Amino acid sequence: MRKLTLNNSFGKEAYYVTSQEEADQTVTRILNEMDYSREQIFADTEVAPHPDWKHEFRVETIKYKPGLDPFKSKVRLAQIGWRDTVWVIDLFHCKDFARLRCMLENPDIWKWFHNGKYDYKQLLWSCDIVTDSIVDFMAAAKLLNLDFKNLRFLIEHYTGKTLDKSQRVTDWGAPELTEPQ
């Protein structure tokens, strides 16, 4: 597990998890220590185009990207935030999703996503995980008639802090990720 340097002002620690043992220990710790009645997790995914469709993926253009299609992509990273820590689990290195599935399918644990329907589809198709008890920031913003479809704008509006999304459209299918990713 490698500690990451975050370019933000949220005061969270972040770790990049690349071994199955560390991923299982992390999720087990959360499941064992979480007070389900008072705590939730924040989750997100980053996807990489499936190798058969990588020829359609163009980072520099806005054209259709197979990474947005759950049938043409795979989940690369599962990001789990709990308390003051964020774990970025590399699912290209951690192939057994049993513990992650226990957490994400647990109906007693509320999971906060932004555009959760997208993450739901990706996790279902790539990992066979049927995420339960989802709260979606984007859907909530629409219900409140907010004009914000972008998580960065919601965070800036409500916290005054800036969320760095500069790596959002990089190649998540690379065999090894760079430090900024």
Side-chain angles (χ1 to χ4, degrees), residues 47 70 73-76 97 121-129:
V47 299
S73 59
K74 295 178 75 168
V75 175
R76 171 67 187 257
F97 309 130
K121 290 176 191 175
Q122 294 290 349
L123 288 164
L124 177 61
W125 188 253
S126 291
C127 308
D128 195 32
I129 295 174

Side-chain angles (χ1 to χ4, degrees), residues 31-100:
L31 289 169
N32 288 339
E33 294 179 18
M34 177 180 267
D35 178 353
Y36 295 178
S37 66
R38 297 178 350 162
E39 296 182 295
Q40 308 90 35
I41 61 172
F42 297 87
D44 191 20
T45 60
E46 297 296 342
V47 299
H50 192 280
D52 295 342
W53 295 94
K54 194 165 178 121
H55 66 281
E56 288 188 28
F57 183 72
R58 302 284 182 270
V59 170
E60 64 279 353
T61 67
I62 301 178
K63 85 173 232 168
Y64 169 77
K65 294 178 177 63
L68 300 176
D69 185 336
F71 302 110
K72 295 181 179 181
S73 59
K74 295 178 75 168
V75 175
R76 171 67 187 257
L77 301 175
Q79 300 160 57
I80 307 295
W82 176 63
R83 294 185 179 164
D84 289 330
T85 308
V86 175
W87 292 273
V88 180
I89 303 171
D90 192 329
L91 300 184
F92 280 15
H93 296 285
C94 307
K95 307 269 186 203
D96 181 359
F97 309 130
R99 300 248 172 106
L100 185 62

Side-chain angles (χ1 to χ4, degrees), residues 3-15 40 42 80-87 161:
K3 188 168 184 174
L4 299 172
T5 304
L6 296 179
N7 295 329
N8 67 40
S9 56
F10 293 99
K12 302 257 183 207
E13 288 188 351
Y15 296 94
Q40 308 90 35
F42 297 87
I80 307 295
W82 176 63
R83 294 185 179 164
D84 289 330
T85 308
V86 175
W87 292 273
K161 297 180 180 181

Side-chain angles (χ1 to χ4, degrees), residues 158-172:
Y158 285 103
T159 69
K161 297 180 180 181
T162 303
L163 182 64
D164 181 11
K165 299 288 274 184
S166 61
Q167 296 299 314
R168 183 176 57 88
V169 292
T170 58
D171 182 7
W172 297 106

